[in-house]
Every structure is written in C-alpha cells, then in structure tokens.
Amino acid sequence: MKETEKGEGGGTTKPEKDQSWIPKIIKKRVCTTFVEDSFSNGGLCQCGGTRGTHASVATGDYFGTAIVSQWDSAQHSSEYPTDAFGELEFAGAGKRHSHFLRLSCDSPPNIVYTLMTAHWGVPAPNLVLSVVEGGGKVKVKTWVREVLRQGLVKAAQSTGAWILTGGLREGVGRCVGEAVRDHGTAAPSLVNAKVITLGIAPWGLVQNRQQLVNPQGSFPARYYVQNTSRDTCCLDNNYQAFLLVDDGSVGRRGGEAGFRARLEEYISHQRTGIWGSGSIEIPVLCILIAGEATMLKQMDHSLRNSTPWLVLAGSGGAADLISEIVDDLSSAPSVSAASDGEGEVPSVDLRDQVRERVKKHFPSKTERETEKLTETALSICQNRELITVYHGEQEGPDDFDTVLLKALVRASKQRDPSGTSPYTEELKLAVAWNRVDIAKSELFNGDIQWKYSDLEDSMTDALVNNKPQFVRLFTENGLNILDYLTYQRLESLYSSLSDSSLAYMLLQRRLSERQISTGSMPSLSTVPDTTPFALPQSGLIKERPIKEFTLYEVSRVLWDILGDVCQPFYFAPLGLNDVAHRRKSLKKVNKLLQGQCLYREKCCFHPWAALYIWAVLQNRSEMAIFFWEMGGESVLSALGGCKILRELSKLESETETKLSMKELAQKFENLAHDVFSQCYQSSENRSFTLLINKSLVWGGATCLQMATAGDARLFFSHDGVQSLLTQIWWGDMKRSTEVWRLILAFFCPVFVYTELIDFREQDEPADPQQIFHGRDTDSLNGETIFSFTDIRHTEEEAEELNDLRSRTKGYTPGTYKCPFVVSRWRQFWSAPVTSFLGNVLMYFLFLFLFAYVLLVDFKPPPPLGPTTLEFVLYFWVFTIVCEEIRQFFCVGNRPLRQRMWQYIQDVWNKCDLTAIVLFIIGLCCRMFQSSYEIGRAMLCLDYMVFTLRLIHIFAIHKRMGPKMIIVGKMMKDVFFFLFFLGVWLVAYGVANQALLYSYDPRPDWILRRVFYRPYLHIFGQIPLEDLDAAKAGEVSCTNNVTLIDSGEEPCMNPHVNWLVIILLVIYLLVTNILLLNLLIAMFSYTFNKVQEHSDTYWKFQRYNLIVDYHSRPSVAPPFIILSHIHLFIKRKIRKIPSVKIHHFVLELTGKRANRLMTWEAIQKENLLTDQNKRQRGSDTERLKRTSAKVDSVLKQMVDIRDHDRRLRALELQVEYCSSALSWMVEALSQSNLIKPTRPPPKLRDPPPSSLS
C-alpha cells in the first residue's frame, strides 16, 4: 500500500484505491438468528446482543428459534464485509497511531499475516511470544510484573519477537503494555528495534468499539478511553496493532481463541530472516500466566500441535496447577495418558493425584467439571516434554531470554528426536535472534566441538541477514572460509539482496540486458510469501521476485562502478579473459550458462575480498569493516570500498542512504590513511612500493590509481604519498637542485654532463632484470625492497631494452650497458620537472609571439599576409593540437564515447578545446577580406583564453596552488552575486529609461542605458546631465516623433525627474551596500571554509599535474612534433607497447608479492591493536566494564540472598527436628518400653569462632 497522505487536520487520508480491497477479502460476523436467552425474559439473544440490535430477519424466524436451544457462531451468524479497519489514534496519547482490523473468526491467517507485514509495515518476527492470561479479572502479582517488565519485554526487544496478548487494559495485557511503555521511555536512544506488541481481542468485548466503525476505513479513528486507572475492556494505547476477532457475539470471551491458535500455527511454518531467508522456521512459544480452567483446553489443543509452552509457576490459577503436576511427574516414570480413549489408561494413583490438584486450585467446580479438567490435565501431561516451568520468584527476570531459548530447544528435541545435534538448533535460534552473547556463553565456550557442516547454514543466515558478530564468531570457531565460499554460494548471496537496494536494481538491469541478448524477454520466477488465494485483484500478496544473478552481472556492475581502474572481476572463472567486446562476452556467457556451469563448484579465489565487495555494495558498515580486517591488501581494499561507495552515492536517490554511504566511504578512506601511515613509519621504501604495486585481487589496480578514481584527497595529503610524488617529480635528480640550474641546462644542454645538476647516486646492476630477480633474499624486516630508481628504470628503459634484445644477434644477458652520455641525457629530460619547466618557458614564448603578432605583425588577408612569424604561430598551435590528440587517445582503454566524456570532464581540457576552436575560427575568418575584422577579434579573445591557461601551470606551487582552489570556489559565489545584481540592474535600468525618455526607438541606445549605464553607476560613474533634466544644459534634442525616428536625440522628460533620483538612491543603496557586502560575506565564508582543506585539495590536484607531465613527451611545443614522430614510429612501426600509459606501475609476483602483503598485514594488525587499546582505555569502555562488574556483583548478591534464605529454612527444619528428637528422647526415658544401656548423649558447645 502507498504511504498515507497528510490531511488538513493533522490526520491522514488514503486514496480509495488503496483501501477498497480490504472489505472485499476481510469479513466480519453478524448474528443472523435470534436465539432467546432464557434468563433475560426475551430481551437478549444468547450471542449477548439485545433484540433491537438484530435485523428483522434474525428476529422473525420464530420456528427456527423455537427448535434451537444453544447459540452457535458457525450456524447462527453470517459474514459481511468488514466495516472497521485502518489506523487508530488514542485521544491524549500522542501522535503515534496503531493499526486495527475487525475480522471474522474464520479469516485465513495467511491473509492477516501478509496484511500486517507487507502493508502495515510490521517487521517479520524472529520469535512469537504468545502470552495467555486469565479472564482479565485476575490480579497480577508483583514479581510477575517484574518478569514482564525486565524479562519478557527485554527478551522480545533483543530477539526481534512479537508479543501477542489480549490487547485490552486489563490483567496481564495491561501489564505487558505498561512494560513496553516503560522500556521504550527508559532508554529510547539505546533501543534500535522497537518491541512489537499485537493485541488479539474479541470484537464484542471491546468498549467504545462503535468509534472504530467506518465502512470506508478510518485514517485515523479517534478512540476515547475513560477511567484509565482501573482495569477495563478498552484497547491499550501501547500496542502497535489490534486484531479484533468477531464471532458474532457481544460481551463474551474466548471467541478469538480459535483464530489466535491458527495464526500462531501459520506463523510457525514461516521462515525467519529477510524474505524468509533464515535457516529455521519462526518459533512460537506460548506463555501461561495464571489463567482460568478454560485455559487447560486451549493449552491441550496447542500441545497436540507441538507448540511449546512456558508456565510461570506461582502466578496462580491454571499455571500453578500445571507447574505442580509437571514438577511432581518430573522424577516419576513416563505417563502414558492417551487421548480420545486410545492407548493405556493412566494409573489410579496418578488420576487421584491430578484430581486432588484440580480440586485444590478450582474448588468451585462441580464434580463433572472436575472430571473433565482432570482428563484435560492428564492429556497435557502426555506432552509434558513441551512444557517448561519457570519459577520466577527463585530464578529472577534477568536470564529470561536464556530460559526462552532453552524452552524452544527442548521443544525442538521433542519434535525431532532423531535429527541433528541439539546444539545446532540452539545455534540457529541464537542466530535468528541475533544474540551472540548467548552463543558465546552457552555454545562456544569450549565444551562443544563444532564441525564445518554444523556452521554452514548458520553462516549463510548470518551473512544474508546482516549479523556480522556471528560471522566473526563462526570464522573464529572452525568455519574455513576457503571451503565455504564457492562461486555458486557467492551468486546466491548476490541473489539474496534486498529488492529495494541500489545494488539489486543495478544487477537486475544487467540481468535484463543479458536475457534480452539471448532473444527472450526477462522472466521472473516468484515465490509468494503466503499461500495464494483467489483474489488477485486485491493486490494483497506481495511476491518476492527471485533473480538468479550470475557472476557476469556482478562483474558488469563492478566494471560500471570502478571503470577502467582495474580489470573486470570474475572474468577468469567465466572464461572471458581474452574477450574484450561486450557482445562477444554476452554470447559466450549465455553459451556457458546453458551448459553445466562447472565453475560454480569451484572455490572462490580471494574469498574475503569477494565478501568485502558484496558487503560494500549493500552499504553494510560493520560487516564490510570485518571483511576488510580479515582480507589482504588493506590500503587498496579500503580505497576500493571508498570508490564503490562514492559512485553508489551518486546514483542513490534516498538522502539518508546517500549520507550513510558517504560516511562509510570516508571511514574507509580514513582506514586507508591510517594503515598507510603505519606502513610509512615502518619503512619508507616499502610504502612507496605498496603505492605503485599492481594488485592481483583488484584486477591490476594500484593504490594511487584507486585513490585518484575514488577522490581520496585525505589519502593524497599524507606525507608518504607526497614524498613519493616529489620523488617522481624530480626523477633521478636531487630535490635540492635550484630552478635556475634547470633553466640554464635547458637552454644549454651541455651543463647536464657537469656538476651543475645534482643526480642521486645509483647502484645499477649489470643486468636490468636483477632489478626484479636479484632481491629474493631480502628479509621481511629489511629496510629496503625496491628503490624508486629501480622503478624508474623499469618504466623508462624496459621498452627500449626489450626491443633491443629482440633485434640484437648473439645477445646474452649482461653484455649491454647504457652509455653514460645516453643515460645522463635520459635522466635529465625524462624527469617531469624538466618537462614542466620546458613547457612553462616555451608557453611564455608562445604567448609573447602571439601578442607580437596581434599587436605588431598582423597583416591583411592574402596576398599581403600572413607574415612569417604568423606562420610560425600557426605551426606552434598545430603542435599543441597534436599533443591534445595524443592526450585524448591516451586517456585509457575505454570505448571512444566514454573516453571522450572522461577527457571533457577535465576543466583545463575544456579550456584547451575552447582556445583551439577559437583559433581555428579566427584563422579561417582572417583569410578573407569580408570577415577579416571578425577573425582578428576572435584571435584577440583566443589570446585571453590562452593566457588564462597559465593558471594551471602555477598549480604545482606550494603557496599559489591552494589559493587557486579558493579562487575556483569563489567563482561560484560570483555567479550567484551576478544573478541578484542582474535582477536589480534590469529593474532599475528599464524603469530609468522609461521615465527619462518617453520615446526612443534606437536599440543600441536602449541597451546602453538599460544595462551599461546602470552597471557603471555601481562604480561611481554617475553623469548628472544624463539623469537630471535640470542640469542637462543646452542639448540639441527634440520631442518630434518623426525626427526621433530619423535619428535625432530625444529630449528627457522633466515631469518625473524626482522619481528618477529616488530610484537612483535606492539602486545605489542596494547594489553598493547590500549586494557588495553580501558578496564580501560570501567570499569570507568560502575562504574560511575552503582554507582549512585547501592544502588537501591542492595535494590531490598536484598528483594529477605530476601524472600529466610524467606521461607527456619531454620536449615542449613546437619541438614536441619530433617526440610525436618518434612515438609514432615506436608504436605503429616497431610495435613497442607504451609504458607511460600506466602511470608508475610495478608488478610483483611470487615471494616478493607475498612478503609485501605479509608486511602490510602486520602493519594493519598493529594499527588495529593500537585502536583497540585506545578504545579500551576510553571512558565509555571503562563505564561498560564497570557496569558489567556491578551487574555480576548484583547477581552474586541475589545468589547470596537465596542461599541465606535456604539456610534459614534449613535451620528452621533442623530446629524442628531437634525439638522432635528431644521430645522423643524425653518420652522414651519416662516410659518403660526400652531400657537404656547407656545415658543419652549431651549437646556439645560449638567451637569458638575465628573472629572472636
């Protein structure tokens, strides 16, 4: 059903289509036969209603009523559409509404259950606690109230249970409502899940029920309750929902018992978890508190259906009777009391004993009624294994949830005595209730040896239903994740996603795409939540579409999210490693899925990473963090999770979910920052290797690539990352090299071979392959594994050396060594700082040439121009265009459209495209006489764009870079300011022009006076002769319309000159004072806001700049054309693959990769250990430990009091025995029956106490 819409009076209303289906399937019962009550003198029917409340048909059937002696609901009442349903608002009880429904006692329970869970929004239970009380007049004892308050409600909240009671403000139902109210009021911030209480009451017994009647439904119905201080049959406002069962009677109890039993039985066959994905059926436990004699029949019927019962001994009535009988028989032989006259007859002693118990607790019953109760009690004893007696006065309410667990486990043993281990059932119950504390204390305390098969189903239940504490518990106690996670189980985990989640919708889209490619429309296989019934038009049944997602859909979704940062996931098991085209991959996957799908039986490679990605896609914070802790490659995994969550947050439409995704992404970025900080403190060189190492788990991605894609600015601000970037920026030169030396070497390359440029010392091995293969002996705790010099040589020289080796005859390793002249030349010109400096110098020269051509040497169109310098300028721009084309094709491996979109996303690429387009337009226009001036204007504008491009060059500067970030943010404020300014400028300009000149048809002058002149007023240029007619002076003007049309100057209108002055004053007041100060305030706010994080933003942009110049050719335009020709020959003719397209990537394999991962895992463990120590030392954790100790002491004090009570009782018994023995001794000594042979023993004094 759709959500309610708020009405004017604060209530809610619903469209007719949302509520019209309820009366069609939900019925009520109305008495249709008036059966006269003999004790009412003909005024009442045996149903409890008066003669006036019956229809004429019911009272007119005199012949039928004459032969009827007993009223029966099934025979004498009929069903009609219900007229009471909707929401219930209790007057004076707050804004929280409850749901209610009047229904027939014969209503199908599946419809009602689906209505509550799917349409009322009541969460499906993990447990149902059905509290069966007396007739409402029983006074509840104080200790029973404490059990309900501290035991029942707390257990229901912790297990996610439903509490079923009568729902009326009387007896136990009222106590349960008050306990729920007090529990929610005491700690509302600590209770994540509300306690769900449902009231099932007879419709004819509810007071003020006419307030609920509305055939169209009440949204809400206002319900008034009088005299709430005493027990009444009014509805209790502490319940979430009410099922008002109608059997046609009025004022009679028990009409709801049959429907309640059928509802409990139906719920007991549903499964726990999301969409019934749990490993067990929903357990139902009936709790008997006090109770009348009629409760015995209801209990017997329920026990025949194998429903367990918990009896509160000492609460009175039927509860005391059953508890005493069960306690008496607990040590006796098994009783074989058969029902329905079958089987063995119970012994006479047992029957007499039970009869005495019945007479004791129900003395007012007749002899016949006593015999019936005795037979019922004997029948109950036959199933006493399903009954658990709880002595509340002795055991206390603290461990009530454990008592519930034991009662259900005991019942499960009785139902399935030959089944699996009883501990498995107990474990499934603990998982369903999410009570890891019970599992730790009762099941995983070291006494039970768990097998893999015992934990497998519970592990799946914990994963699907988001119970990370159990996942951690299982992995710590015998579950091997390598054996557990197969590809088939991974696909089932993805298929179990909630259909409201974003990940599910993305997978569904990819599944539909694959199914359409096969030529068949997507089909949905559905499993209904309930048993179907023949009312499809109601739309009541909410079906769960089961999507059988495969690894291909998962890999496609991850590819869409991660992009080309890494290779596609799960392509190896699908056999798609050599398939790049999407259509070919779809064809191959469809062919594979039509076969046996042998890959599904294989164990998943890197199971922790697979589960980590699965949890991140669902935005499950705690579970994702646990999988991150268990998996490897901690830094890259955290950055990968950050990337996935930030991409999902862009697609998420719900604000709350979007914020939670951003928070979790920031948490993972902080984890990556902290782990890398720990690594950097341990070893600088190892941490550098960690940043650029290709990952096998994440498809060949590196930490730097993933951090860039995930916009991890905090990670880039780390000193270790910046140190690596600085090392890359300077290449093989020392960082202390002055800039003037670089400039001098740039213009005079001979100085490269002198000591003017300082280079780092290198120990090059004879064979470059030793860079990788010569360091296997490094220990785990060594200081160095790989140096940056090794990495640089790997990138820059590997392509040339490999090509040379393949073409050199007789080559043997170690025979080639790069000459000093070549190596030093390459070291200088391959450094990004050299490329940057060359581009800056040549760009300044380009701008100087451009300005000179525009100002001095810009000749007319051919044949007089262009000049030689202008042709040089054209060639220079052509080389710039060639470089932009190279950058476009080197963006990545994506398709052309995505590559184009990624290229345009960069602001400076947009600037370059604008400058090139303007230059081409200006060049074409200046070649023709007719458009010469337009071309010159375009080139002038283009020069401005090329000059503004200088801002990007200064992004590398430590002081100017952050200021550029602030300026960029302030530009957004300027646009908002211009909007407000434009509104006032147009308003004032149009009014001013219309008041000053009554008629002026010249468009150019209108634009000047409406826009240009008001804009100049802001800066103080206010010519009074143009605004004040009195100060206009001798001006040649006319008011003749004909002359004005011919071009004469119109005269100003002097009549409303005073209004023009007033408007000018208001306009200057608003613009110069209000709007300008607003702009200053906006700038100040932006500056203060961005200044704190501007350094972080700048460091992130610095990486992009370094990557840009690292991938560029060493020579700047216009000489860059030589590098382009060189690259074309290498790539297209010599077929040497590019290395710089992968920005500083290092691939480790074998032992070296394992050592690096082990070292990273050790640093992560050190970090987690430090965090746990800090957390344990916090005030919150200390308070928790102190609270736990106090609770333990209180429990011990309770045990001490109990022992003290028992000792006092024992002392009384000993004293009694001593007195009786003394009396016996005295009596025997005075008689002559026995002649003593020795004197009686004397009472010795007790030994002195050690304290005396």
Side-chain angles (χ1 to χ4, degrees), residues 760-780:
R760 293 200 306 269
E761 295 181 358
Q762 304 172 13
D763 295 328
E764 296 185 5
D767 184 5
Q769 287 187 349
Q770 293 180 13
I771 293 172
F772 294 111
H773 303 290
R775 303 181 184 268
D776 288 341
T777 58
D778 289 349
S779 63
L780 184 62

Side-chain angles (χ1 to χ4, degrees), residues 577-731:
N577 285 333
D578 55 343
V579 181
H581 199 271
R582 185 176 63 87
R583 292 185 179 179
K584 292 182 179 179
S585 63
L586 278 173
K587 185 177 180 180
K588 190 169 183 179
V589 166
N590 289 327
K591 184 178 180 180
L592 175 65
L593 295 178
Q594 291 174 1
Q596 298 181 357
C597 299
L598 299 178
Y599 75 92
R600 292 178 175 173
E601 303 300 328
K602 298 179 181 179
C603 294
C604 180
F605 294 111
H606 314 295
W608 291 118
L611 291 175
Y612 170 71
I613 295 174
W614 174 78
V616 168
L617 287 174
Q618 299 180 82
N619 194 27
R620 293 183 173 180
S621 174
E622 188 176 353
M623 187 170 288
I625 291 176
F626 169 69
F627 291 145
W628 173 82
E629 293 176 357
M630 299 299 295
E633 300 188 357
S634 307
V635 177
L636 182 56
S637 297
L639 293 173
C642 176
K643 163 68 175 174
I644 294 174
L645 288 167
R646 283 177 176 162
E647 291 297 328
L648 290 177
S649 65
K650 298 176 183 177
L651 304 175
E652 182 61 54
S653 57
E654 296 185 5
T655 305
E656 185 176 354
T657 307
K658 183 191 293 287
L659 291 177
S660 65
M661 286 181 175
K662 290 182 178 179
E663 291 177 0
L664 183 56
Q666 188 60 46
K667 184 181 295 184
F668 278 123
E669 184 178 355
N670 294 337
L671 287 174
H673 179 274
D674 295 341
V675 174
F676 182 74
S677 178
Q678 191 80 15
C679 295
Y680 186 68
Q681 293 175 8
S682 175
S683 175
E684 181 178 348
N685 291 310
R686 282 177 182 267
S687 62
F688 290 166
T689 307
L690 184 66
L691 290 176
I692 60 178
N693 181 41
K694 290 180 65 175
S695 169
L696 297 177
V697 180
W698 288 85
T702 66
C703 293
L704 290 181
Q705 292 174 348
M706 191 66 74
T708 307
D711 197 20
R713 300 175 181 176
L714 177 64
F715 181 78
F716 271 103
S717 66
H718 192 275
D719 294 338
V721 180
Q722 291 301 309
S723 178
L724 175 63
L725 295 180
T726 303
Q727 206 167 3
I728 294 173
W729 178 250
W730 285 96

Side-chain angles (χ1 to χ4, degrees), residues 539-593:
L540 179 62
I541 294 298
K542 186 175 181 180
E543 295 182 346
R544 158 68 169 176
I546 298 181
K547 295 285 188 179
E548 295 296 337
F549 297 127
T550 63
L551 291 182
Y552 179 76
E553 285 78 48
V554 178
S555 65
R556 289 293 301 175
V557 170
L558 292 177
W559 198 0
D560 295 338
I561 294 174
L562 296 174
D564 58 355
V565 179
C566 54
Q567 297 297 322
F569 285 80
Y570 308 121
F571 267 30
L574 294 174
L576 301 177
N577 285 333
D578 55 343
V579 181
H581 199 271
R582 185 176 63 87
R583 292 185 179 179
K584 292 182 179 179
S585 63
L586 278 173
K587 185 177 180 180
K588 190 169 183 179
V589 166
N590 289 327
K591 184 178 180 180
L592 175 65
L593 295 178

Side-chain angles (χ1 to χ4, degrees), residues 765-829:
D767 184 5
Q769 287 187 349
Q770 293 180 13
I771 293 172
F772 294 111
H773 303 290
R775 303 181 184 268
D776 288 341
T777 58
D778 289 349
S779 63
L780 184 62
N781 298 322
E783 290 297 326
T784 304
I785 291 184
F786 300 98
S787 67
F788 176 73
T789 305
D790 298 338
I791 300 165
R792 290 289 304 173
H793 281 288
T794 301
E795 285 193 4
E796 300 296 335
E797 298 180 3
E799 54 178 352
E800 296 290 345
L801 292 177
N802 292 334
D803 183 65
L804 181 62
R805 290 172 183 177
S806 63
R807 288 166 170 77
T808 303
K809 296 182 179 180
Y811 170 80
T812 57
T815 61
Y816 174 80
K817 183 176 181 181
C818 189
F820 171 77
V821 176
V822 178
S823 62
R824 181 55 57 91
W825 180 269
R826 181 172 293 167
Q827 288 172 1
F828 177 78
W829 289 104

Side-chain angles (χ1 to χ4, degrees), residues 1006-1062:
I1006 290 177
L1007 293 177
R1008 289 181 184 179
R1009 291 167 179 167
V1010 171
F1011 295 102
Y1012 181 59
R1013 189 166 63 184
Y1015 181 74
L1016 294 179
H1017 290 350
I1018 301 175
F1019 303 99
Q1021 297 187 15
I1022 308 174
L1024 295 179
E1025 61 273 9
D1026 293 339
L1027 298 176
D1028 194 349
K1031 296 185 178 182
E1034 295 293 335
V1035 180
S1036 177
C1037 62
T1038 180
N1039 290 324
N1040 191 335
V1041 176
T1042 304
L1043 296 176
I1044 293 175
D1045 290 337
S1046 62
E1048 293 290 335
E1049 178 72 18
C1051 295
M1052 288 189 296
N1053 186 5
H1055 302 291
V1056 288
N1057 192 74
W1058 58 273
L1059 185 56
V1060 174
I1061 303 301
I1062 294 177

